[in-house]
Amino acid sequence: MRSLNRFRLITFDVTNTLLQFRTSPGKQYGEIGALFGARCDNNDLAKNYKANWYKMNRDYPNFGVDTSPRLEWQQWWRQLIAGTFAESGAAIPDEKLDNFVSHLLELYKTTICWQPCNGSVELLQQLRKHNLADKQLKVGVIANFDPRLDALLRNTKLDRYLDFALNSYTAKAEKPQLAIFQRAMEDSKLANLKPAECLHIGDGPTTDYLGAKEAGWHAALVHEKSYSYLSKKYGTDIKRNHVFPSLYDFHKKLTDDAVVW
């Protein structure tokens, strides 16, 4: 792990980096929908969830925090969930919608919906040991997420390995914007911290890897696609030796001192 000695701040993305869904939102929504009398095909739900996710992010970016008038993040999810079911042929009646949305939002704070990604807990444990030996290292999370992030990290017991967690709604900035990386540096409370002393690890080629690099940070990309696919799609600013199929693989290479920044 010697190659990490140059860093004073290491941050992670959450979805598909530290944590992943146990089942797809389409299937999970279908199971909960059935409890509320809304029965529809899970494949339709999956397709319409994805379409509504893109539509809401286009029309009301960052869970509506900057829209005018401001959309509360709970309302953002209410619109997404209502649209997903209506377009799947099973509209949730108005009198049931608030309870249904509330139930789903609570559920997605828990281990019923989330599980650790391959190697995430082990790497965090190792960093915590490193951290205890060297008080100069801070470990955090930067996620395009709503304010449920803190509860999710508590419920999955990842919070014990972290010094802070920054969600984009509270920060009023999303990755890959520079402002959220600067806010993370502030939240670390490390004096005279420089961007070159920071490392961000995530699965988003644009949001995580290129966003961090643009902020002057170092970056590692955790992605199942091949380097040739990623470099064709996102450009050669993504470095071959900083792409890893999983955090398990990244941790192994770090332990073998096979990662050069």
Side-chain angles (χ1 to χ4, degrees), residues 121-227:
V121 175
E122 294 78 5
L123 178 56
L124 287 171
Q125 286 171 338
Q126 188 68 40
L127 288 173
R128 178 50 72 189
K129 277 186 202 161
H130 194 76
N131 197 344
L132 291 171
D134 173 13
K135 302 291 187 206
Q136 282 302 301
L137 177 68
K138 292 287 181 78
V139 178
V141 153
I142 308 174
N144 289 352
F145 218 96
D146 62 57
R148 288 175 299 165
L149 179 63
D150 288 342
L152 173 62
L153 293 170
R154 270 197 313 276
N155 292 335
T156 52
K157 297 185 166 49
L158 295 189
D159 63 321
R160 63 184 66 179
Y161 307 114
L162 303 167
D163 295 296
F164 68 93
L166 180 59
N167 72 76
S168 59
Y169 189 87
T170 302
K172 295 187 177 174
E174 284 185 298
K175 296 175 299 184
Q177 292 169 340
L178 174 63
I180 198 166
F181 290 98
Q182 290 175 328
R183 170 73 183 268
M185 290 175 70
E186 289 167 22
D187 284 5
S188 76
K189 299 186 167 50
L190 288 165
N192 306 313
L193 180 65
K194 298 176 179 61
E197 297 172 317
C198 305
L199 168 67
H200 180 68
I201 302 154
D203 75 306
T206 303
T207 49
D208 291 307
Y209 187 91
L210 295 173
K213 297 289 272 185
E214 281 287 313
W217 291 32
H218 290 271
L221 181 62
V222 178
H223 207 288
E224 74 281 1
K225 295 281 191 192
S226 69
Y227 174 75

Side-chain angles (χ1 to χ4, degrees), residues 47-65:
K47 182 185 73 182
N48 291 320
Y49 172 86
K50 199 171 178 182
N52 275 275
W53 171 263
Y54 284 115
K55 178 176 177 289
M56 291 298 290
N57 275 291
R58 184 194 68 214
D59 296 347
Y60 309 100
N62 199 7
F63 308 99
V65 72

Side-chain angles (χ1 to χ4, degrees), residues 25-140:
K27 187 167 183 292
Q28 192 78 62
Y29 276 34
E31 287 172 8
I32 305 304
L35 296 177
F36 281 78
R39 299 184 183 279
C40 40
D41 183 80
N42 285 351
N43 291 329
D44 286 345
L45 276 176
K47 182 185 73 182
N48 291 320
Y49 172 86
K50 199 171 178 182
N52 275 275
W53 171 263
Y54 284 115
K55 178 176 177 289
M56 291 298 290
N57 275 291
R58 184 194 68 214
D59 296 347
Y60 309 100
N62 199 7
F63 308 99
V65 72
D66 283 329
T67 50
S68 184
R70 176 171 169 165
L71 193 65
E72 294 299 326
W73 63 269
Q74 297 94 329
Q75 190 64 26
W76 191 95
W77 280 107
R78 190 181 193 274
Q79 283 183 223
L80 184 147
I81 291 164
T84 298
F85 276 89
E87 288 161 29
S88 302
I92 310 285
D94 276 351
E95 67 274 12
K96 288 185 178 178
L97 188 57
D98 284 342
N99 269 348
F100 180 60
V101 169
S102 183
H103 188 80
L104 271 177
L105 292 181
E106 285 299 311
L107 201 65
Y108 271 91
K109 291 179 186 174
T110 71
T111 54
I112 292 168
C113 296
W114 297 89
Q115 63 189 5
C117 292
N118 181 21
S120 65
V121 175
E122 294 78 5
L123 178 56
L124 287 171
Q125 286 171 338
Q126 188 68 40
L127 288 173
R128 178 50 72 189
K129 277 186 202 161
H130 194 76
N131 197 344
L132 291 171
D134 173 13
K135 302 291 187 206
Q136 282 302 301
L137 177 68
K138 292 287 181 78
V139 178

